[in-house]
Amino acid sequence: MAISTLTLNDGNQVPWIAFGTGTALFQRDAQNTVETAIANGFTHLDGAQMYENEESLGAGIKASGMPRSTLFVTTKLHRLQPGQTAKTALQVSLKKLGLEYVDLYLVHVPGHHAGHLKEVWKSMEECKREGLSKSIGVSNFEVEHLEEILEDAEFPPSVNQVEIHPYVWKSLQPVIALHEQHNIITSSYGGLSPLFRAPGGPLDPVIEKIRARLESTRGEPVSVGHVLNKWLEQYGFLVVTTSSKADRMREYLDTANVPQLTAEEIESIENAGAQRHQKFFSD
């Protein structure tokens, strides 16, 4: 089944769900897992210089045999070495990935470039102008970081990838409002963290109740992961997921086939999330 796409503010299309090579694959060989993800239907692969596995991500892409044009590949800028720019760092990544271009290049962490964000963004824009990356964006940016680069950006960021789940939802509202103002796609990572990293929280009974309703409506199994991914999908977010298990990968992609959450269900998820503020990843 074809994966639906979101339209970025530069006109490019991005598959709404991505397979990420961080977390469990951090500093590990990702080739087999990437091959499995592609074989099970993922077309968007989300990597990063920080993960230290771009070579094996590239090897997985090559081994899949999929034409480059059918895949969407993201990487992210890490800390700059002395004399390095975002452009020269991307050229190193492209060599490791075995690719001529990436589809999306993100500034991974604003704190790595404190006092130099505008300068770094100029180099990111150069990557876009020269076709080294089709689109450019940011990750873990808060309102003040976005405002700093938007002030004199030729190309506004197309995406801001941040930790999103109900336990941070309330605190994210200012940044999401700024995204809407500039047509920046909100991308989420760590979306299932409340269920797997902090079980027993106020969200769990709410998610279980919705899961049971969706399963009854659908007439096919629905998981708790489906519920949170559906919540993210209905907001039009770009969802980054990861797993080493093929059945879990298929489950993530199956989110599109799960019935819609009602407005009341969405509200109940957010109300339960507001009872606890908890981040699971440090920027």
Side-chain angles (χ1 to χ4, degrees), residues 61-97:
I61 290 168
K62 191 175 180 184
S64 76
M66 291 291 280
R68 173 67 183 92
S69 59
T70 63
L71 298 175
F72 188 104
V73 182
T74 296
T75 196
K76 310 181 195 76
L77 173 69
H78 193 22
R79 294 178 192 275
L80 289 170
Q81 300 306 311
Q84 202 178 35
T85 65
K87 178 183 165 184
T88 60
L90 178 56
Q91 288 167 328
V92 172
S93 283
L94 291 173
K95 195 168 277 188
K96 288 179 178 178
L97 289 161

PDB file of all heavy atoms in Angstrom, residues 61-97:
ATOM      1  N   ILE A  61      20.265   0.594   2.120  1.00  0.00           N
ATOM      2  CA  ILE A  61      19.550   1.178   0.976  1.00  0.00           C
ATOM      3  C   ILE A  61      19.989   0.487  -0.317  1.00  0.00           C
ATOM      4  O   ILE A  61      19.167   0.073  -1.132  1.00  0.00           O
ATOM      5  CB  ILE A  61      19.803   2.705   0.907  1.00  0.00           C
ATOM      6  CG1 ILE A  61      19.089   3.416   2.069  1.00  0.00           C
ATOM      7  CG2 ILE A  61      19.365   3.284  -0.440  1.00  0.00           C
ATOM      8  CD1 ILE A  61      19.490   4.871   2.267  1.00  0.00           C
ATOM      9  N   LYS A  62      21.299   0.336  -0.459  1.00  0.00           N
ATOM     10  CA  LYS A  62      21.852  -0.280  -1.677  1.00  0.00           C
ATOM     11  C   LYS A  62      21.408  -1.735  -1.792  1.00  0.00           C
ATOM     12  O   LYS A  62      20.961  -2.187  -2.851  1.00  0.00           O
ATOM     13  CB  LYS A  62      23.377  -0.189  -1.641  1.00  0.00           C
ATOM     14  CG  LYS A  62      24.042  -0.557  -2.952  1.00  0.00           C
ATOM     15  CD  LYS A  62      25.540  -0.345  -2.902  1.00  0.00           C
ATOM     16  CE  LYS A  62      26.179  -0.734  -4.240  1.00  0.00           C
ATOM     17  NZ  LYS A  62      27.651  -0.624  -4.196  1.00  0.00           N
ATOM     18  N   ALA A  63      21.500  -2.470  -0.683  1.00  0.00           N
ATOM     19  CA  ALA A  63      21.154  -3.898  -0.695  1.00  0.00           C
ATOM     20  C   ALA A  63      19.665  -4.130  -0.952  1.00  0.00           C
ATOM     21  O   ALA A  63      19.273  -5.195  -1.437  1.00  0.00           O
ATOM     22  CB  ALA A  63      21.556  -4.533   0.636  1.00  0.00           C
ATOM     23  N   SER A  64      18.833  -3.134  -0.641  1.00  0.00           N
ATOM     24  CA  SER A  64      17.380  -3.292  -0.841  1.00  0.00           C
ATOM     25  C   SER A  64      17.026  -3.393  -2.321  1.00  0.00           C
ATOM     26  O   SER A  64      15.977  -3.913  -2.683  1.00  0.00           O
ATOM     27  CB  SER A  64      16.623  -2.114  -0.229  1.00  0.00           C
ATOM     28  OG  SER A  64      16.736  -0.954  -1.056  1.00  0.00           O
ATOM     29  N   GLY A  65      17.899  -2.830  -3.165  1.00  0.00           N
ATOM     30  CA  GLY A  65      17.637  -2.849  -4.605  1.00  0.00           C
ATOM     31  C   GLY A  65      16.561  -1.870  -5.049  1.00  0.00           C
ATOM     32  O   GLY A  65      16.181  -1.828  -6.222  1.00  0.00           O
ATOM     33  N   MET A  66      16.074  -1.049  -4.122  1.00  0.00           N
ATOM     34  CA  MET A  66      15.027  -0.082  -4.470  1.00  0.00           C
ATOM     35  C   MET A  66      15.637   1.082  -5.242  1.00  0.00           C
ATOM     36  O   MET A  66      16.705   1.580  -4.868  1.00  0.00           O
ATOM     37  CB  MET A  66      14.366   0.472  -3.204  1.00  0.00           C
ATOM     38  CG  MET A  66      13.538  -0.554  -2.460  1.00  0.00           C
ATOM     39  SD  MET A  66      12.053  -1.019  -3.354  1.00  0.00           S
ATOM     40  CE  MET A  66      10.987   0.369  -2.945  1.00  0.00           C
ATOM     41  N   PRO A  67      14.976   1.546  -6.314  1.00  0.00           N
ATOM     42  CA  PRO A  67      15.500   2.710  -7.038  1.00  0.00           C
ATOM     43  C   PRO A  67      15.568   3.916  -6.093  1.00  0.00           C
ATOM     44  O   PRO A  67      14.664   4.111  -5.271  1.00  0.00           O
ATOM     45  CB  PRO A  67      14.470   2.950  -8.145  1.00  0.00           C
ATOM     46  CG  PRO A  67      13.670   1.693  -8.230  1.00  0.00           C
ATOM     47  CD  PRO A  67      13.723   1.048  -6.893  1.00  0.00           C
ATOM     48  N   ARG A  68      16.632   4.706  -6.217  1.00  0.00           N
ATOM     49  CA  ARG A  68      16.824   5.869  -5.325  1.00  0.00           C
ATOM     50  C   ARG A  68      15.609   6.784  -5.328  1.00  0.00           C
ATOM     51  O   ARG A  68      15.216   7.331  -4.284  1.00  0.00           O
ATOM     52  CB  ARG A  68      18.086   6.642  -5.773  1.00  0.00           C
ATOM     53  CG  ARG A  68      18.327   7.975  -5.032  1.00  0.00           C
ATOM     54  CD  ARG A  68      18.653   7.739  -3.569  1.00  0.00           C
ATOM     55  NE  ARG A  68      18.809   8.983  -2.808  1.00  0.00           N
ATOM     56  CZ  ARG A  68      17.825   9.585  -2.142  1.00  0.00           C
ATOM     57  NH1 ARG A  68      16.602   9.068  -2.161  1.00  0.00           N
ATOM     58  NH2 ARG A  68      18.052  10.693  -1.453  1.00  0.00           N
ATOM     59  N   SER A  69      14.972   6.937  -6.492  1.00  0.00           N
ATOM     60  CA  SER A  69      13.857   7.882  -6.618  1.00  0.00           C
ATOM     61  C   SER A  69      12.631   7.456  -5.810  1.00  0.00           C
ATOM     62  O   SER A  69      11.749   8.267  -5.525  1.00  0.00           O
ATOM     63  CB  SER A  69      13.463   8.042  -8.081  1.00  0.00           C
ATOM     64  OG  SER A  69      13.089   6.771  -8.600  1.00  0.00           O
ATOM     65  N   THR A  70      12.579   6.184  -5.411  1.00  0.00           N
ATOM     66  CA  THR A  70      11.409   5.709  -4.655  1.00  0.00           C
ATOM     67  C   THR A  70      11.607   5.865  -3.151  1.00  0.00           C
ATOM     68  O   THR A  70      10.686   5.609  -2.377  1.00  0.00           O
ATOM     69  CB  THR A  70      11.125   4.219  -4.947  1.00  0.00           C
ATOM     70  OG1 THR A  70      12.251   3.446  -4.485  1.00  0.00           O
ATOM     71  CG2 THR A  70      10.908   3.971  -6.422  1.00  0.00           C
ATOM     72  N   LEU A  71      12.814   6.256  -2.739  1.00  0.00           N
ATOM     73  CA  LEU A  71      13.115   6.390  -1.316  1.00  0.00           C
ATOM     74  C   LEU A  71      13.290   7.851  -0.926  1.00  0.00           C
ATOM     75  O   LEU A  71      13.684   8.679  -1.747  1.00  0.00           O
ATOM     76  CB  LEU A  71      14.394   5.615  -0.970  1.00  0.00           C
ATOM     77  CG  LEU A  71      14.344   4.097  -1.199  1.00  0.00           C
ATOM     78  CD1 LEU A  71      15.705   3.484  -0.932  1.00  0.00           C
ATOM     79  CD2 LEU A  71      13.282   3.439  -0.315  1.00  0.00           C
ATOM     80  N   PHE A  72      13.025   8.144   0.338  1.00  0.00           N
ATOM     81  CA  PHE A  72      13.212   9.480   0.890  1.00  0.00           C
ATOM     82  C   PHE A  72      14.197   9.322   2.046  1.00  0.00           C
ATOM     83  O   PHE A  72      13.919   8.600   3.015  1.00  0.00           O
ATOM     84  CB  PHE A  72      11.872  10.034   1.394  1.00  0.00           C
ATOM     85  CG  PHE A  72      11.914  11.482   1.804  1.00  0.00           C
ATOM     86  CD1 PHE A  72      11.380  12.466   0.985  1.00  0.00           C
ATOM     87  CD2 PHE A  72      12.471  11.871   3.024  1.00  0.00           C
ATOM     88  CE1 PHE A  72      11.401  13.814   1.361  1.00  0.00           C
ATOM     89  CE2 PHE A  72      12.501  13.207   3.413  1.00  0.00           C
ATOM     90  CZ  PHE A  72      11.970  14.182   2.573  1.00  0.00           C
ATOM     91  N   VAL A  73      15.358   9.963   1.923  1.00  0.00           N
ATOM     92  CA  VAL A  73      16.416   9.783   2.924  1.00  0.00           C
ATOM     93  C   VAL A  73      16.699  11.100   3.646  1.00  0.00           C
ATOM     94  O   VAL A  73      16.908  12.138   3.012  1.00  0.00           O
ATOM     95  CB  VAL A  73      17.713   9.250   2.270  1.00  0.00           C
ATOM     96  CG1 VAL A  73      18.799   9.021   3.325  1.00  0.00           C
ATOM     97  CG2 VAL A  73      17.443   7.957   1.489  1.00  0.00           C
ATOM     98  N   THR A  74      16.697  11.016   4.972  1.00  0.00           N
ATOM     99  CA  THR A  74      16.985  12.176   5.827  1.00  0.00           C
ATOM    100  C   THR A  74      18.291  11.924   6.570  1.00  0.00           C
ATOM    101  O   THR A  74      18.538  10.804   7.026  1.00  0.00           O
ATOM    102  CB  THR A  74      15.856  12.358   6.873  1.00  0.00           C
ATOM    103  OG1 THR A  74      14.630  12.650   6.195  1.00  0.00           O
ATOM    104  CG2 THR A  74      16.165  13.479   7.863  1.00  0.00           C
ATOM    105  N   THR A  75      19.131  12.955   6.694  1.00  0.00           N
ATOM    106  CA  THR A  75      20.224  12.896   7.662  1.00  0.00           C
ATOM    107  C   THR A  75      20.261  14.222   8.403  1.00  0.00           C
ATOM    108  O   THR A  75      19.538  15.160   8.060  1.00  0.00           O
ATOM    109  CB  THR A  75      21.588  12.519   7.036  1.00  0.00           C
ATOM    110  OG1 THR A  75      22.469  12.137   8.114  1.00  0.00           O
ATOM    111  CG2 THR A  75      22.216  13.655   6.237  1.00  0.00           C
ATOM    112  N   LYS A  76      21.094  14.272   9.452  1.00  0.00           N
ATOM    113  CA  LYS A  76      21.096  15.454  10.326  1.00  0.00           C
ATOM    114  C   LYS A  76      22.525  15.869  10.647  1.00  0.00           C
ATOM    115  O   LYS A  76      23.390  15.011  10.854  1.00  0.00           O
ATOM    116  CB  LYS A  76      20.337  15.168  11.625  1.00  0.00           C
ATOM    117  CG  LYS A  76      18.963  14.564  11.422  1.00  0.00           C
ATOM    118  CD  LYS A  76      18.239  14.325  12.737  1.00  0.00           C
ATOM    119  CE  LYS A  76      17.054  13.407  12.569  1.00  0.00           C
ATOM    120  NZ  LYS A  76      17.416  11.996  12.427  1.00  0.00           N
ATOM    121  N   LEU A  77      22.717  17.179  10.725  1.00  0.00           N
ATOM    122  CA  LEU A  77      24.014  17.770  11.033  1.00  0.00           C
ATOM    123  C   LEU A  77      24.344  17.608  12.509  1.00  0.00           C
ATOM    124  O   LEU A  77      23.547  17.955  13.376  1.00  0.00           O
ATOM    125  CB  LEU A  77      23.983  19.263  10.667  1.00  0.00           C
ATOM    126  CG  LEU A  77      25.202  20.102  11.061  1.00  0.00           C
ATOM    127  CD1 LEU A  77      26.423  19.706  10.242  1.00  0.00           C
ATOM    128  CD2 LEU A  77      24.899  21.585  10.888  1.00  0.00           C
ATOM    129  N   HIS A  78      25.552  17.107  12.793  1.00  0.00           N
ATOM    130  CA  HIS A  78      26.036  16.989  14.172  1.00  0.00           C
ATOM    131  C   HIS A  78      26.857  18.236  14.499  1.00  0.00           C
ATOM    132  O   HIS A  78      26.830  19.227  13.770  1.00  0.00           O
ATOM    133  CB  HIS A  78      26.852  15.694  14.305  1.00  0.00           C
ATOM    134  CG  HIS A  78      27.141  15.281  15.721  1.00  0.00           C
ATOM    135  ND1 HIS A  78      26.394  15.703  16.797  1.00  0.00           N
ATOM    136  CD2 HIS A  78      28.121  14.470  16.231  1.00  0.00           C
ATOM    137  CE1 HIS A  78      26.879  15.173  17.908  1.00  0.00           C
ATOM    138  NE2 HIS A  78      27.933  14.434  17.599  1.00  0.00           N
ATOM    139  N   ARG A  79      27.622  18.205  15.567  1.00  0.00           N
ATOM    140  CA  ARG A  79      28.524  19.313  15.904  1.00  0.00           C
ATOM    141  C   ARG A  79      29.515  19.505  14.758  1.00  0.00           C
ATOM    142  O   ARG A  79      30.014  18.536  14.196  1.00  0.00           O
ATOM    143  CB  ARG A  79      29.344  18.983  17.158  1.00  0.00           C
ATOM    144  CG  ARG A  79      28.530  18.872  18.416  1.00  0.00           C
ATOM    145  CD  ARG A  79      29.449  18.505  19.582  1.00  0.00           C
ATOM    146  NE  ARG A  79      28.665  18.109  20.749  1.00  0.00           N
ATOM    147  CZ  ARG A  79      28.166  18.966  21.632  1.00  0.00           C
ATOM    148  NH1 ARG A  79      28.374  20.262  21.485  1.00  0.00           N
ATOM    149  NH2 ARG A  79      27.461  18.543  22.653  1.00  0.00           N
ATOM    150  N   LEU A  80      29.823  20.761  14.456  1.00  0.00           N
ATOM    151  CA  LEU A  80      30.801  21.036  13.409  1.00  0.00           C
ATOM    152  C   LEU A  80      32.215  20.917  13.962  1.00  0.00           C
ATOM    153  O   LEU A  80      32.509  21.379  15.060  1.00  0.00           O
ATOM    154  CB  LEU A  80      30.591  22.452  12.844  1.00  0.00           C
ATOM    155  CG  LEU A  80      29.334  22.631  11.990  1.00  0.00           C
ATOM    156  CD1 LEU A  80      29.100  24.105  11.704  1.00  0.00           C
ATOM    157  CD2 LEU A  80      29.436  21.851  10.689  1.00  0.00           C
ATOM    158  N   GLN A  81      33.075  20.279  13.180  1.00  0.00           N
ATOM    159  CA  GLN A  81      34.499  20.216  13.529  1.00  0.00           C
ATOM    160  C   GLN A  81      35.138  21.534  13.093  1.00  0.00           C
ATOM    161  O   GLN A  81      34.601  22.231  12.223  1.00  0.00           O
ATOM    162  CB  GLN A  81      35.160  19.030  12.810  1.00  0.00           C
ATOM    163  CG  GLN A  81      34.547  17.672  13.155  1.00  0.00           C
ATOM    164  CD  GLN A  81      34.510  17.408  14.645  1.00  0.00           C
ATOM    165  OE1 GLN A  81      35.506  17.573  15.350  1.00  0.00           O
ATOM    166  NE2 GLN A  81      33.335  17.048  15.163  1.00  0.00           N
ATOM    167  N   PRO A  82      36.300  21.896  13.648  1.00  0.00           N
ATOM    168  CA  PRO A  82      36.955  23.147  13.235  1.00  0.00           C
ATOM    169  C   PRO A  82      37.135  23.207  11.709  1.00  0.00           C
ATOM    170  O   PRO A  82      37.568  22.227  11.099  1.00  0.00           O
ATOM    171  CB  PRO A  82      38.314  23.082  13.951  1.00  0.00           C
ATOM    172  CG  PRO A  82      38.063  22.205  15.134  1.00  0.00           C
ATOM    173  CD  PRO A  82      37.050  21.199  14.694  1.00  0.00           C
ATOM    174  N   GLY A  83      36.717  24.332  11.130  1.00  0.00           N
ATOM    175  CA  GLY A  83      36.865  24.523   9.684  1.00  0.00           C
ATOM    176  C   GLY A  83      35.762  23.887   8.853  1.00  0.00           C
ATOM    177  O   GLY A  83      35.698  24.067   7.638  1.00  0.00           O
ATOM    178  N   GLN A  84      34.880  23.147   9.496  1.00  0.00           N
ATOM    179  CA  GLN A  84      33.804  22.461   8.779  1.00  0.00           C
ATOM    180  C   GLN A  84      32.579  23.364   8.666  1.00  0.00           C
ATOM    181  O   GLN A  84      32.350  24.238   9.504  1.00  0.00           O
ATOM    182  CB  GLN A  84      33.447  21.191   9.558  1.00  0.00           C
ATOM    183  CG  GLN A  84      32.755  20.126   8.746  1.00  0.00           C
ATOM    184  CD  GLN A  84      32.479  18.873   9.580  1.00  0.00           C
ATOM    185  OE1 GLN A  84      32.193  18.950  10.774  1.00  0.00           O
ATOM    186  NE2 GLN A  84      32.579  17.716   8.949  1.00  0.00           N
ATOM    187  N   THR A  85      31.789  23.165   7.622  1.00  0.00           N
ATOM    188  CA  THR A  85      30.499  23.858   7.484  1.00  0.00           C
ATOM    189  C   THR A  85      29.415  22.790   7.348  1.00  0.00           C
ATOM    190  O   THR A  85      29.720  21.603   7.164  1.00  0.00           O
ATOM    191  CB  THR A  85      30.466  24.736   6.215  1.00  0.00           C
ATOM    192  OG1 THR A  85      30.551  23.855   5.064  1.00  0.00           O
ATOM    193  CG2 THR A  85      31.603  25.744   6.181  1.00  0.00           C
ATOM    194  N   ALA A  86      28.157  23.227   7.410  1.00  0.00           N
ATOM    195  CA  ALA A  86      27.055  22.278   7.219  1.00  0.00           C
ATOM    196  C   ALA A  86      27.171  21.601   5.856  1.00  0.00           C
ATOM    197  O   ALA A  86      26.862  20.412   5.706  1.00  0.00           O
ATOM    198  CB  ALA A  86      25.716  23.005   7.343  1.00  0.00           C
ATOM    199  N   LYS A  87      27.661  22.351   4.870  1.00  0.00           N
ATOM    200  CA  LYS A  87      27.799  21.796   3.514  1.00  0.00           C
ATOM    201  C   LYS A  87      28.910  20.742   3.454  1.00  0.00           C
ATOM    202  O   LYS A  87      28.699  19.642   2.931  1.00  0.00           O
ATOM    203  CB  LYS A  87      28.084  22.925   2.520  1.00  0.00           C
ATOM    204  CG  LYS A  87      28.279  22.434   1.085  1.00  0.00           C
ATOM    205  CD  LYS A  87      28.619  23.580   0.154  1.00  0.00           C
ATOM    206  CE  LYS A  87      29.163  23.072  -1.162  1.00  0.00           C
ATOM    207  NZ  LYS A  87      29.589  24.177  -2.035  1.00  0.00           N
ATOM    208  N   THR A  88      30.089  21.043   4.004  1.00  0.00           N
ATOM    209  CA  THR A  88      31.174  20.052   3.929  1.00  0.00           C
ATOM    210  C   THR A  88      30.830  18.824   4.782  1.00  0.00           C
ATOM    211  O   THR A  88      31.182  17.699   4.426  1.00  0.00           O
ATOM    212  CB  THR A  88      32.544  20.650   4.332  1.00  0.00           C
ATOM    213  OG1 THR A  88      32.470  21.123   5.685  1.00  0.00           O
ATOM    214  CG2 THR A  88      32.956  21.777   3.406  1.00  0.00           C
ATOM    215  N   ALA A  89      30.101  19.036   5.881  1.00  0.00           N
ATOM    216  CA  ALA A  89      29.666  17.903   6.710  1.00  0.00           C
ATOM    217  C   ALA A  89      28.693  17.013   5.934  1.00  0.00           C
ATOM    218  O   ALA A  89      28.756  15.778   6.031  1.00  0.00           O
ATOM    219  CB  ALA A  89      29.008  18.407   7.995  1.00  0.00           C
ATOM    220  N   LEU A  90      27.812  17.634   5.149  1.00  0.00           N
ATOM    221  CA  LEU A  90      26.870  16.850   4.338  1.00  0.00           C
ATOM    222  C   LEU A  90      27.613  16.078   3.250  1.00  0.00           C
ATOM    223  O   LEU A  90      27.269  14.929   2.954  1.00  0.00           O
ATOM    224  CB  LEU A  90      25.794  17.756   3.720  1.00  0.00           C
ATOM    225  CG  LEU A  90      24.772  17.047   2.807  1.00  0.00           C
ATOM    226  CD1 LEU A  90      24.069  15.895   3.520  1.00  0.00           C
ATOM    227  CD2 LEU A  90      23.735  18.039   2.274  1.00  0.00           C
ATOM    228  N   GLN A  91      28.634  16.689   2.660  1.00  0.00           N
ATOM    229  CA  GLN A  91      29.404  15.986   1.628  1.00  0.00           C
ATOM    230  C   GLN A  91      30.042  14.711   2.189  1.00  0.00           C
ATOM    231  O   GLN A  91      30.080  13.682   1.519  1.00  0.00           O
ATOM    232  CB  GLN A  91      30.449  16.928   1.023  1.00  0.00           C
ATOM    233  CG  GLN A  91      29.797  17.990   0.124  1.00  0.00           C
ATOM    234  CD  GLN A  91      30.732  19.128  -0.262  1.00  0.00           C
ATOM    235  OE1 GLN A  91      31.625  19.510   0.513  1.00  0.00           O
ATOM    236  NE2 GLN A  91      30.532  19.691  -1.446  1.00  0.00           N
ATOM    237  N   VAL A  92      30.504  14.780   3.441  1.00  0.00           N
ATOM    238  CA  VAL A  92      31.056  13.590   4.112  1.00  0.00           C
ATOM    239  C   VAL A  92      29.946  12.544   4.291  1.00  0.00           C
ATOM    240  O   VAL A  92      30.128  11.354   4.019  1.00  0.00           O
ATOM    241  CB  VAL A  92      31.691  13.959   5.483  1.00  0.00           C
ATOM    242  CG1 VAL A  92      32.091  12.707   6.261  1.00  0.00           C
ATOM    243  CG2 VAL A  92      32.901  14.871   5.288  1.00  0.00           C
ATOM    244  N   SER A  93      28.772  12.994   4.726  1.00  0.00           N
ATOM    245  CA  SER A  93      27.631  12.083   4.916  1.00  0.00           C
ATOM    246  C   SER A  93      27.229  11.404   3.610  1.00  0.00           C
ATOM    247  O   SER A  93      26.942  10.207   3.591  1.00  0.00           O
ATOM    248  CB  SER A  93      26.415  12.839   5.457  1.00  0.00           C
ATOM    249  OG  SER A  93      26.570  13.098   6.831  1.00  0.00           O
ATOM    250  N   LEU A  94      27.194  12.169   2.531  1.00  0.00           N
ATOM    251  CA  LEU A  94      26.794  11.607   1.232  1.00  0.00           C
ATOM    252  C   LEU A  94      27.762  10.506   0.799  1.00  0.00           C
ATOM    253  O   LEU A  94      27.347   9.472   0.271  1.00  0.00           O
ATOM    254  CB  LEU A  94      26.710  12.709   0.174  1.00  0.00           C
ATOM    255  CG  LEU A  94      25.559  13.710   0.354  1.00  0.00           C
ATOM    256  CD1 LEU A  94      25.667  14.854  -0.637  1.00  0.00           C
ATOM    257  CD2 LEU A  94      24.191  13.027   0.223  1.00  0.00           C
ATOM    258  N   LYS A  95      29.030  10.728   1.061  1.00  0.00           N
ATOM    259  CA  LYS A  95      30.047   9.720   0.730  1.00  0.00           C
ATOM    260  C   LYS A  95      29.790   8.450   1.548  1.00  0.00           C
ATOM    261  O   LYS A  95      29.818   7.337   1.028  1.00  0.00           O
ATOM    262  CB  LYS A  95      31.438  10.287   1.027  1.00  0.00           C
ATOM    263  CG  LYS A  95      32.569   9.493   0.390  1.00  0.00           C
ATOM    264  CD  LYS A  95      33.890  10.234   0.448  1.00  0.00           C
ATOM    265  CE  LYS A  95      34.009  11.235  -0.689  1.00  0.00           C
ATOM    266  NZ  LYS A  95      35.367  11.825  -0.761  1.00  0.00           N
ATOM    267  N   LYS A  96      29.510   8.632   2.840  1.00  0.00           N
ATOM    268  CA  LYS A  96      29.235   7.477   3.711  1.00  0.00           C
ATOM    269  C   LYS A  96      27.963   6.746   3.282  1.00  0.00           C
ATOM    270  O   LYS A  96      27.903   5.513   3.290  1.00  0.00           O
ATOM    271  CB  LYS A  96      29.079   7.934   5.169  1.00  0.00           C
ATOM    272  CG  LYS A  96      30.380   8.365   5.822  1.00  0.00           C
ATOM    273  CD  LYS A  96      30.140   8.825   7.252  1.00  0.00           C
ATOM    274  CE  LYS A  96      31.456   9.207   7.916  1.00  0.00           C
ATOM    275  NZ  LYS A  96      31.234   9.710   9.297  1.00  0.00           N
ATOM    276  N   LEU A  97      26.949   7.515   2.917  1.00  0.00           N
ATOM    277  CA  LEU A  97      25.661   6.935   2.517  1.00  0.00           C
ATOM    278  C   LEU A  97      25.711   6.323   1.116  1.00  0.00           C
ATOM    279  O   LEU A  97      24.834   5.535   0.750  1.00  0.00           O
ATOM    280  CB  LEU A  97      24.572   8.015   2.551  1.00  0.00           C
ATOM    281  CG  LEU A  97      24.135   8.515   3.933  1.00  0.00           C
ATOM    282  CD1 LEU A  97      23.422   9.863   3.817  1.00  0.00           C
ATOM    283  CD2 LEU A  97      23.242   7.497   4.630  1.00  0.00           C
TER     284      LEU A  97
END
